[in-house]
Amino acid sequence: METKEKQEQARAEGLTRLFRKTLHLLEQAIAAISILALLVALGMEVYRMITTPGYFSDIDTYLHSILTIVVGLEFVRMLIDTTPSNILEVLTVAITRHVILSHDDPLSNLACIACIAALFATRRFLVRKAEMKEDLNED
């Protein structure tokens, strides 16, 4: 009876490992596709910089495009190396991009700054240093 339970448990663990490995491979594939898309976007942006007269006169468009690419790169880094540190960095960059690009009311900006402060506090006080480097995909 015990061997049958052990066999079922081993089968379940094997299935769990297979699912994790499959998900990890899918994450890697999504990261590769995202890198290609970001490289194309960067190339298009550089082409616009060169060919469009007065491109830098509209700084909002430039910042929007470049910071979107930066957030995308951080997202890809998070997909490749899923650690608490990378997740917190992606959130920080995304919120910072929102503060820079949005021209909302001051309370919205204050809320975003409070969120960034909370992320830094979370990193400093709630996440242990050993966990910051630990890959979350491996259990």
Side-chain angles (χ1 to χ4, degrees), residues 57-94:
S57 63
D58 185 19
I59 198 72
D60 282 342
T61 304
Y62 170 73
L63 282 175
H64 176 75
S65 299
I66 294 300
L67 291 177
T68 299
I69 292 169
V70 169
V71 170
L73 289 172
E74 286 293 324
F75 176 72
V76 170
R77 194 173 92 179
M78 182 190 72
L79 281 176
I80 292 170
D81 185 26
T82 311
T83 62
S85 175
N86 285 344
I87 292 169
L88 292 173
E89 285 177 26
V90 168
L91 291 171
T92 303
V93 169

Side-chain angles (χ1 to χ4, degrees), residues 22-42:
T22 302
L23 288 173
H24 187 67
L25 289 173
L26 285 172
E27 285 176 349
Q28 298 296 321
I30 290 169
I33 292 168
S34 298
I35 287 174
L36 288 174
L38 290 168
L39 287 173
V40 168
L42 185 60

